Amino acid sequence: MLREAFPCLHQQVNGKDLVYFDNAATAMRPQVVIDAVNDYYCHNNANIHRGVHCLSGRATDLYEQARGSLARLINAPSPDNLIFVRGCTEGVNLVAQTFVRERLQPGDEILISHLEHHSNIVPWQILCQQTGARLKVIPMNERGELVLDQLDELMTERTKFMSVIHVSNALGTINPVKELVAKAHAKDIPVMVDGAQATPHLKVDVQDIGCDFYTVSGHKMYGPTGSGVLYGKATHLESMPPYHGGGEMISKVTFEETVYNKVPAKFEAGTPNIAGGIGLGAAAEFILDVGIEAIAEREDVLKLYTEQALKTVKGLRILGEAAHKSPVFSFLIDGIHPHDIGTIIDHHGVAIRTGHHCTMPIFQFFDVPGSCRASLAFYNTEQEVDILVESLNQAKAMFS
């Protein structure tokens, strides 16, 4: 059973079998990812690209093979379209400062949505402060879906860029990113898609989506923390200046001038997270081997089961019930603070996330400070959902 591939799942917390429903914050790692990282440090520990000795060559091959695996996972035209980054946050900041900034004049506009994670809000606010541009927001409705009938009005001749999340980490909403990209491109507006919550759950095809940039977070898709990739169209990457300066991103340096390296090395200054990149490649291969279609099918079953089970808890309110969503449930229980719920059910071995989930504007919309969030992955079970519901009912009983 694939669940057996994840060693961290098989332990007890507070004397109870662990029930891990915090996958949107970080997913578990399969043994093949752990082994890939361990094997690098045990057998291939060397710096990459700049060595002629055996270990350096092996490490370089593994690192670049990982780039190829990730390119296959998201159907990038070439591995050279992928830049290794620390995660989606760095990917967004890189695009903001190297692609978008030079295109902005005071009064220009950047378009995001109400569903964004803080990492796809704050970099654009910083950029607006630097350039005099304005941030505009696609609104959402009570179901947690974007109000797209206002999109044409929001996109004006001053709109220079759009950045939208693929899947909401707080509500699970799956945005129609292909439609959003098409509408923006019809008005010559480049688009970045934040795919942090998409690659573990959905088939991602950047060529089909048509986006200009796409960010991937490693630790959300069963890979190491501090790893990720940024996909960019080749013409954009070639035209963009480097984000960091240092070793590896150069082809020639004198005291008079520097000639930058080719893409993607131009954006990968210094010694990278080699083990993390190799581990992320192993995670991509794991998803490809299992099959994202099989993962999505299993999660659809779990999603329906969880929704029905949660609705049996009296006084429980699910925030955001989009027609298309991933297995993420933000909820409140009348009269009980989310932190109290999270603390109580932890004593039953159940791990959920409580708070605003780095999406404060979403909870401002619902006029609540935060929520409980149960986020599932394909390795979770219906029995674990039953334990969650039982623990929630016991938390209710304590406060009644």
Side-chain angles (χ1 to χ4, degrees):
M1 182 180 178
L2 285 171
R3 182 180 171 86
E4 300 302 317
F6 295 83
C8 196
L9 290 173
H10 307 291
Q11 61 177 295
Q12 289 200 329
V13 174
N14 294 317
K16 305 287 187 180
D17 289 341
L18 171 65
V19 174
Y20 187 76
F21 285 154
D22 196 20
N23 294 285
T26 194
M28 293 297 184
R29 283 85 178 117
Q31 190 65 51
V32 290
V33 169
I34 298 168
D35 289 345
V37 173
N38 186 63
D39 184 69
Y40 164 73
Y41 283 123
C42 288
H43 303 294
N44 304 302
N45 185 40
N47 214 327
I48 58 173
H49 295 145
R50 296 185 289 276
V52 296
H53 60 84
C54 181
L55 265 63
S56 179
R58 293 204 305 245
T60 299
D61 288 345
L62 289 168
Y63 193 72
E64 293 305 327
Q65 287 167 14
R67 199 190 307 267
S69 297
L70 289 153
R72 290 197 301 278
L73 181 68
I74 64 172
N75 193 32
S78 164
D80 290 344
N81 290 97
L82 300 187
I83 301 164
F84 277 109
V85 290
R86 291 175 296 169
C88 286
T89 299
E90 185 178 17
V92 173
N93 279 275
L94 190 158
V95 172
Q97 293 297 327
T98 64
F99 181 79
V100 184
R101 183 172 180 173
E102 66 181 14
R103 288 165 167 77
L104 294 178
Q105 299 293 329
D108 285 343
E109 300 163 353
I110 300 168
L111 186 59
I112 62 173
S113 85
H114 204 125
L115 288 169
E116 302 309 318
H117 188 280
H118 293 168
S119 62
N120 202 31
I121 299 174
V122 178
W124 305 115
Q125 291 176 331
I126 292 172
L127 189 59
C128 287
Q129 293 167 358
Q130 293 169 337
T131 63
R134 297 173 54 230
L135 195 62
K136 296 177 73 174
V137 180
I138 306 169
M140 60 179 277
N141 60 26
E142 288 285 342
R143 291 176 57 84
E145 298 169 328
L146 296 184
V147 183
L148 296 183
D149 57 6
Q150 297 185 25
L151 188 58
D152 289 335
E153 181 181 344
L154 286 166
M155 292 190 299
T156 73
E157 61 182 15
R158 301 304 300 267
T159 307
K160 302 302 181 184
F161 197 75
M162 180 165 72
S163 187
V164 291
I165 202 163
H166 195 162
V167 178
S168 168
N169 72 300
L171 305 180
T173 305
I174 301 173
N175 283 326
V177 290
K178 184 175 180 179
E179 177 186 349
L180 290 168
V181 169
K183 283 182 174 292
H185 281 180
K187 296 189 176 184
D188 296 323
I189 301 169
V191 183
M192 179 164 66
V193 177
D194 176 349
Q197 299 291 335
T199 48
H201 305 294
L202 307 173
K203 182 174 177 60
V204 173
D205 185 335
V206 293
Q207 295 188 74
D208 181 61
I209 294 170
C211 54
D212 298 271
F213 301 95
Y214 195 97
T215 58
V216 174
S217 175
H219 72 107
K220 311 291 189 186
M221 52 167 277
Y222 322 117
T225 56
S227 69
V229 289
L230 168 70
Y231 158 80
K233 289 185 174 179
T235 52
H236 296 330
L237 297 179
E238 294 292 345
S239 68
M240 290 157 55
Y243 184 49
H244 296 130
E248 184 58 30
M249 48 76 67
I250 50 84
S251 61
K252 178 182 178 182
V253 174
T254 68
F255 287 116
E256 288 72 37
E257 67 170 348
T258 293
V259 178
Y260 301 130
N261 212 333
K262 296 179 180 179
V263 173
K266 181 172 71 170
F267 298 101
E268 296 180 357
T271 299
N273 180 6
I274 302 170
I278 292 170
L280 182 53
E285 288 294 335
F286 176 82
I287 293 173
L288 290 166
D289 288 344
V290 174
I292 193 63
E293 295 86 357
I295 290 173
E297 183 178 352
R298 170 61 184 151
E299 290 183 345
D300 280 343
V301 173
L302 275 174
K303 178 178 63 178
L304 179 60
Y305 187 90
T306 305
E307 181 180 12
Q308 293 173 341
L310 287 175
K311 288 181 177 179
T312 67
V313 180
K314 292 183 178 179
L316 186 145
R317 171 192 174 198
I318 296 175
L319 299 176
E321 297 187 80
H324 302 285
K325 63 177 291 181
S326 67
V328 175
F329 297 91
S330 278
F331 60 89
L332 298 167
I333 295 179
D334 292 343
I336 314 178
H337 194 283
H339 292 331
D340 291 331
I341 295 172
T343 301
I344 292 168
I345 69 174
D346 179 59
H347 290 288
H348 296 269
V350 180
I352 63 170
R353 182 71 42 165
T354 62
H356 53 68
H357 319 306
C358 290
T359 57
M360 286 186 180
I362 288 177
F363 294 100
Q364 290 162 1
F365 175 89
F366 288 112
D367 196 26
V368 294
S371 74
C372 301
R373 183 186 69 188
S375 51
L376 284 65
F378 73 98
Y379 44 62
N380 289 124
T381 67
E382 287 84 352
Q383 291 74 24
E384 289 181 316
V385 176
D386 294 341
I387 294 171
L388 168 65
V389 170
E390 180 183 353
S391 67
L392 291 174
N393 280 322
Q394 291 190 25
K396 277 191 63 187
M398 291 181 62
F399 282 86
S400 63

